Amino acid sequence: MSFKKNTPYEKYNTFSIKKFKVGVVSVLVGSTFFVAGGVALASDKEEIASNITTPVAETTSPSTLTGGNADVSTESNGNSLQGVPRTAEVRNENGAAGTTLGSDRAASTENTEASNNNEKPRGLDRATVPANYDGKVSLIGQWTRESNEKKDTENTYKNATDKLGNPLPNPGLFRGIAKTFLGWSDKPPIDGKIAEGARLFSPEDTLATAFPDGLKADSKLYGVYASLNDQDKPFPTSKFSMGFAIINGMRKFEINDNKVKIDTNVESEDVLPNTKLKKETNDDKTNTRRIIDEYQPSNNDTTKVNEVVLKSEFEMDKTTAMLVYKNPWVGYVGPVLSNSYKGNKFEIDEVEKTYTYVDLNVKLDKDLVIPEKLYAEFNGYSWRPLYAIGHKEDGTKELLHVYSKNGTDLGNSKDSFNSLVSNTDPSVMFGVETKGNHNITFRMILRSLNDKDSDRPENERNERIAESVVKPDEGKSIAETIVRSMTLRSLTSTELKALFSNKSDEEINQMVVRINQEKAKELADTNGTTVLKVTGTVEGNAHPNAGRIGSGWLSMDSATDLPIGKVEANVLELGYVTFYNVSYKFQSGTEGKTLPAVIENYKPKDTATYENEANVTPTQPTKTEYVDEENDGKWVFKKYDADTKAVNKADVEFVGTWEFTANKYGVTYKFKSGTQGKVLPEAIEGYKPTDSNRYVDKDNVGATQPTKTEYVDTENDGKWVFKSYDAENKAVNKADVEFIGKWEFEANKYGVTYRFESGTQGKALPEAIEGYKPTDQNRYADKANVGATQPTKTEYVDAENDGKWVFKSYDAESKAVNKADVEFIGKWEFEANKYGVTYKFESGTPGKTLPTAIEGYKPTDQNRYVDKANVVAT
């Protein structure tokens, strides 16, 4: 593919799926999707590990190899495994060397470093010396003997048209593919990758292609091999080691650090062919290309439409692309990347992936008009379409019907594309019934080879394009043609007219992607500020399968799934411009708020006149702020819809946005004591809630509860309890809101108890006296003075002890509460009954009566004696 030099369109899309170094091998999968006007929606390089199958019994007999060919490095057995470079020096269309990232795109310089084959710079005249093609070429670094020996050989050639030929045979069912031949290079490979600035040649390429200046005394070509192990070391000879090499390599297959850079080599004028380009911008930071055309009033949606041409290019670096093309053959398993295709239903929403595919997701702006049938062409040597999948607005998917280029409905099954895929032509032309879907996925799978990766009849299943039938692009080798950029593009109205010659121009115009005239006018009215977007993504899955490793219960399945992570493509933006005078419009940028009428007076006055295409810078408003007392805030001018606009045959309108900023108020909390004479402890201040929100006028603000609602006040022997705020909620009234929370002190309360004890030594209180204790149901706070209550009775007759008990007193008449219950101790004393002594005189002489005077001789005893006391007569 050729590219224009020194144009803004020389870049083209490259979607790189990062190369992964693995112990076994790296395999990359390329992918793509299209975007309008040649802007690629994605190009994907995915590395998938490819492996050897089960290390079972092997043979070096040629008859045991696929296709009966003892040379496993040749195309016939399909083997190809290779790590790949991220950068490669490549040739331009005239053969000069150049450097590009992950690409074989030609550099545009004339005189670049010639290859090791003494190739002259393209700018020099080679015709002075006839080219010699009768001689020898050293073929360096060929693996042979089941990947256990590396040899150099010499081939003798006679003519410029002689083919380069295959390398030394490297037989072996499995070990033979451990070193898989990818092609010849004019520079030594580096870690199995084509060296920077090197070219790649197929065995089918001619001698003149590799040596355009003829053979020299030291002409060399270097074999490029993909290796399961270290590039320069033989493959392990034991089955055990070989098996682990395979398994370990498969484990390392992961995809990460994907990068996408999408541009296009399509001229901007060809993206919107029926209008005139006004301007194009490319923003590398946002990965966006914007094309603005002049609105064409004569377009009418029938005889002349606003056609949108869709085209993209996508590629892998040439080592990777050749590796994917080879799709290595593993033992009896088949092609490592596609053997799982056989018997596969190719479900579109598998949870556990079972096959290799790449989804090229195209998302077209909802305002683009999508034809009922969209005709497109895919071009690639390794991949071909499997499905076209429509994404409905509700998120569901539907398989879209596929049509041949003559309009035949081929259905929407996994076999719909089969008849369109050729094993000689890399292009697949098809139509898709869009059903109005603006989001369409094109799922690509690898081209099938034979019964190992296809269920189709033998005469239908081979889709692989052999190197021997590839027609090289101008200035390219067969190998470089195979790995060229793949493309996916929509057919233009001109191409559709050639396909459907029986259709009118009006009918053809309805078969292209387009922008209807009303929408184009609407876009133009915004002077290019409103655009339609074309975007997309690439994602998928690699499912390398080298069969089961080992035998019996010790065997392990080598198949694995390596998700191709979604990568966003660049964005293509399409729009139009038209012509307006300079005017100003103000609008509210605050939802629900209408600009006050007075702000209209702040519009700038611009009496100047401007020529067409002149750049106009808007004039700032006469005032940029307005205090809106009614709504308790202010309006602030933010910006115009553009810093500058170009006059384009009509007025230019600048729309200025004003935003309303309401005054904001906070919420504060205040605590106070609700108990008279009590001051809130300072610690309770720490229980205030916080509200960092700001509220506008008339907002209803609910009070937030304190972080704690109780506080134990040990000093005052009680606790503080939060009772309530002065209101549960308050409306903002152009000031901060304050909630006042009331706390009340609750002192600890104590009771009063009574205890009686005997005040008479040796005497125990009768039990009955316990019943005379008073009761006090009151509760007293700390430091309260509590007076003792008298017993219910103060005396008790103790008949048994011939006396009585008398309550004397408590241990105190009153006591102060001291953070504990108060106890009064009442003393009772026993008072025994007392008896007196009397004397009586009587005559001891019979017949004699005591004289009365003797009565006066009686003694007196004032003492009182208790029971059983011994009384001595006086």
Side-chain angles (χ1 to χ4, degrees), residues 264 293 327 367 422 445 600 739:
T264 178
D293 273 18
N327 193 5
D367 288 324
S422 166
I445 58 174
E600 290 294 305
F739 289 101

Side-chain angles (χ1 to χ4, degrees), residues 141-324:
Q142 303 171 72
W143 284 99
T144 185
R145 293 185 58 212
E146 297 185 323
S147 303
N148 277 287
E149 184 178 359
K150 183 184 285 189
K151 286 187 175 182
D152 300 337
T153 63
E154 276 189 342
N155 273 11
T156 300
Y157 301 92
K158 293 293 184 181
N159 303 301
T161 56
D162 288 349
K163 293 183 179 181
L164 297 178
N166 292 314
L168 291 173
N170 188 28
L173 280 177
F174 307 118
R175 295 185 178 92
I177 66 162
K179 308 289 185 179
T180 302
F181 180 73
L182 296 182
W184 300 109
S185 177
D186 58 356
K187 290 186 177 182
I190 299 175
D191 293 332
K193 298 178 289 187
I194 300 172
E196 182 178 352
R199 298 187 65 191
L200 184 67
F201 306 103
S202 164
E204 295 292 326
D205 274 311
T206 65
L207 191 64
T209 300
F211 300 95
D213 292 331
L215 297 181
K216 308 298 179 184
D218 59 348
S219 293
K220 297 181 180 68
L221 289 176
Y222 299 88
V224 180
Y225 286 80
S227 179
L228 292 176
N229 60 331
D230 188 285
Q231 291 289 333
D232 298 318
K233 293 181 180 180
F235 195 64
T237 56
S238 72
K239 294 180 181 178
F240 183 82
S241 297
M242 180 180 71
F244 268 99
I246 295 171
I247 294 173
N248 290 335
M250 296 296 284
R251 289 195 189 109
K252 296 179 181 177
F253 288 5
E254 71 173 332
I255 297 171
N256 56 25
D257 196 24
N258 296 332
K259 295 180 180 179
V260 57
K261 181 176 176 60
I262 300 173
D263 288 295
T264 178
N265 68 331
V266 178
E267 300 288 344
S268 295
E269 289 87 346
D270 295 332
V271 177
L272 301 173
N274 291 337
T275 50
K276 182 180 179 182
L277 176 66
K278 172 61 178 176
K279 64 178 178 179
E280 176 191 8
T281 58
N282 289 279
D283 190 334
D284 292 335
K285 291 183 178 179
T286 60
N287 206 17
T288 300
R289 181 188 187 193
R290 174 175 287 196
I291 298 174
I292 305 297
D293 273 18
E294 291 185 7
Y295 169 69
Q296 180 56 261
S298 61
N299 290 355
N300 55 19
D301 289 335
T302 53
T303 59
K304 193 174 183 182
V305 299
N306 298 302
E307 181 177 353
V308 178
V309 176
L310 305 176
K311 183 180 179 181
S312 70
E313 296 187 31
F314 46 96
E315 66 173 331
M316 297 172 287
D317 65 83
K318 54 188 176 182
T319 309
T320 303
M322 182 58 76
L323 176 60
V324 174

Side-chain angles (χ1 to χ4, degrees), residues 185-491:
S185 177
D186 58 356
K187 290 186 177 182
I190 299 175
D191 293 332
K193 298 178 289 187
I194 300 172
E196 182 178 352
R199 298 187 65 191
L200 184 67
F201 306 103
S202 164
E204 295 292 326
D205 274 311
T206 65
L207 191 64
T209 300
F211 300 95
D213 292 331
L215 297 181
K216 308 298 179 184
D218 59 348
S219 293
K220 297 181 180 68
L221 289 176
Y222 299 88
V224 180
Y225 286 80
S227 179
L228 292 176
N229 60 331
D230 188 285
Q231 291 289 333
D232 298 318
K233 293 181 180 180
F235 195 64
T237 56
S238 72
K239 294 180 181 178
F240 183 82
S241 297
M242 180 180 71
F244 268 99
I246 295 171
I247 294 173
N248 290 335
M250 296 296 284
R251 289 195 189 109
K252 296 179 181 177
F253 288 5
E254 71 173 332
I255 297 171
N256 56 25
D257 196 24
N258 296 332
K259 295 180 180 179
V260 57
K261 181 176 176 60
I262 300 173
D263 288 295
T264 178
N265 68 331
V266 178
E267 300 288 344
S268 295
E269 289 87 346
D270 295 332
V271 177
L272 301 173
N274 291 337
T275 50
K276 182 180 179 182
L277 176 66
K278 172 61 178 176
K279 64 178 178 179
E280 176 191 8
T281 58
N282 289 279
D283 190 334
D284 292 335
K285 291 183 178 179
T286 60
N287 206 17
T288 300
R289 181 188 187 193
R290 174 175 287 196
I291 298 174
I292 305 297
D293 273 18
E294 291 185 7
Y295 169 69
Q296 180 56 261
S298 61
N299 290 355
N300 55 19
D301 289 335
T302 53
T303 59
K304 193 174 183 182
V305 299
N306 298 302
E307 181 177 353
V308 178
V309 176
L310 305 176
K311 183 180 179 181
S312 70
E313 296 187 31
F314 46 96
E315 66 173 331
M316 297 172 287
D317 65 83
K318 54 188 176 182
T319 309
T320 303
M322 182 58 76
L323 176 60
V324 174
Y325 167 79
K326 292 282 188 177
N327 193 5
W329 186 280
V330 179
Y332 297 110
V333 178
V336 66
L337 292 174
S338 60
N339 59 67
S340 58
Y341 291 177
K342 185 176 179 63
N344 203 309
K345 294 182 180 180
F346 294 108
E347 300 288 347
I348 62 174
D349 285 316
E350 292 183 324
V351 176
E352 184 174 345
K353 309 299 184 183
T354 62
Y355 63 100
T356 297
Y357 68 88
V358 174
D359 280 347
L360 320 175
N361 307 309
V362 181
K363 187 172 183 180
L364 305 178
D365 196 290
K366 63 181 179 61
D367 288 324
L368 281 170
V369 180
I370 309 300
E372 292 181 3
K373 293 179 184 177
L374 175 64
Y375 280 85
E377 180 189 56
F378 174 81
N379 193 305
Y381 280 92
S382 300
W383 300 86
R384 61 88 152 181
L386 171 67
Y387 291 129
I389 306 168
H391 298 260
K392 298 180 181 179
E393 291 186 0
D394 62 3
T396 59
K397 300 176 183 178
E398 58 181 334
L399 291 176
L400 303 176
H401 278 246
V402 177
Y403 294 83
S404 68
K405 61 183 179 182
N406 62 11
T408 302
D409 187 349
L410 302 177
N412 62 349
S413 73
K414 65 184 180 66
D415 298 315
S416 296
F417 279 95
N418 290 353
S419 62
L420 304 181
V421 182
S422 166
N423 62 6
T424 59
D425 188 349
S427 67
V428 180
M429 189 176 293
F430 60 93
V432 172
E433 184 181 18
T434 64
K435 293 187 177 181
N437 287 294
H438 284 69
N439 189 353
I440 300 176
T441 293
F442 295 91
R443 177 160 292 186
M444 302 295 171
I445 58 174
L446 294 167
R447 291 171 175 264
S448 65
L449 178 61
N450 56 23
D451 63 332
K452 293 296 184 181
D453 60 0
S454 175
D455 298 313
R456 294 155 61 190
E458 184 176 359
N459 62 336
E460 297 179 6
R461 62 195 174 205
N462 182 15
E463 300 170 344
R464 294 281 297 277
I465 301 175
E467 293 175 69
S468 59
V469 301
V470 175
K471 181 180 179 181
D473 293 336
E474 183 179 357
K476 300 288 184 179
S477 67
I478 290 175
E480 290 165 343
T481 301
I482 290 172
V483 301
R484 71 184 180 189
S485 298
M486 296 172 285
T487 60
L488 178 63
R489 65 183 185 88
S490 63
L491 299 187

